[in-house]
Amino acid sequence: TASLHHLQNQFESRTISKRYIAVVYGHPSVKSGHCHQPVEGREALTKWSFRWQALSIFCGPVTCLDVFPQTGRQHQIRQHLAQLGHPIVGDPLFPLPGISKQQQQRQPKLLL
């Protein structure tokens, strides 16, 4: 249909913006930033900005971020936030370093 082709063209020309909300471990030292690191050998860029922070009785310090992937690589957001030292709460693929499997199972599900 015409609508589908229009949407596909927007993705191809990168005129669509995507925003995700993620809750991450810890408190980033700055209010916004980006990660420009390859994902699976391909260029990838993710921008993020601060929404709020809190102290969770389950997870300790957490921060809520608006996340804007500029490229569309698989697991890009998860990998980039982990590389920044603030993995997504509940992420089994890129967990907080030093957290045991037993502790992971008690964490909330992926908060993305």
Side-chain angles (χ1 to χ4, degrees):
T1 68
S3 297
L4 177 60
H5 291 300
H6 181 67
L7 186 60
Q8 288 171 331
N9 289 337
Q10 287 178 317
F11 272 103
E12 288 174 12
S13 63
R14 297 185 186 214
T15 56
I16 286 185
S17 62
K18 296 168 269 185
R19 182 184 95 183
Y20 295 82
I21 298 174
V23 177
V24 300
Y25 291 104
H27 299 311
S29 59
V30 294
K31 298 294 183 192
S32 64
H34 70 277
C35 184
H36 192 197
Q37 295 291 324
V39 173
E40 295 184 0
R42 298 175 68 196
E43 179 182 353
L45 173 63
T46 303
K47 296 179 180 180
W48 60 270
S49 62
F50 172 87
R51 287 181 67 104
W52 52 260
Q53 63 186 29
L55 183 60
S56 164
I57 61 172
F58 298 105
C59 309
V62 295
T63 301
C64 184
L65 303 173
D66 283 318
V67 185
F68 307 93
Q70 304 299 298
T71 51
R73 310 292 177 238
Q74 185 175 18
H75 305 305
Q76 171 180 326
I77 295 171
R78 298 163 84 170
Q79 183 174 329
H80 278 175
L81 292 176
Q83 287 173 337
L84 292 171
H86 299 285
I88 299 171
V89 172
D91 190 346
L93 292 179
F94 300 94
L96 186 66
I99 198 168
S100 71
K101 290 284 186 189
Q102 185 179 22
Q103 289 171 312
Q104 283 181 10
Q105 290 173 347
R106 290 193 305 249
Q107 297 292 320
K109 297 294 181 192
L110 180 68
L111 295 181
L112 172 65

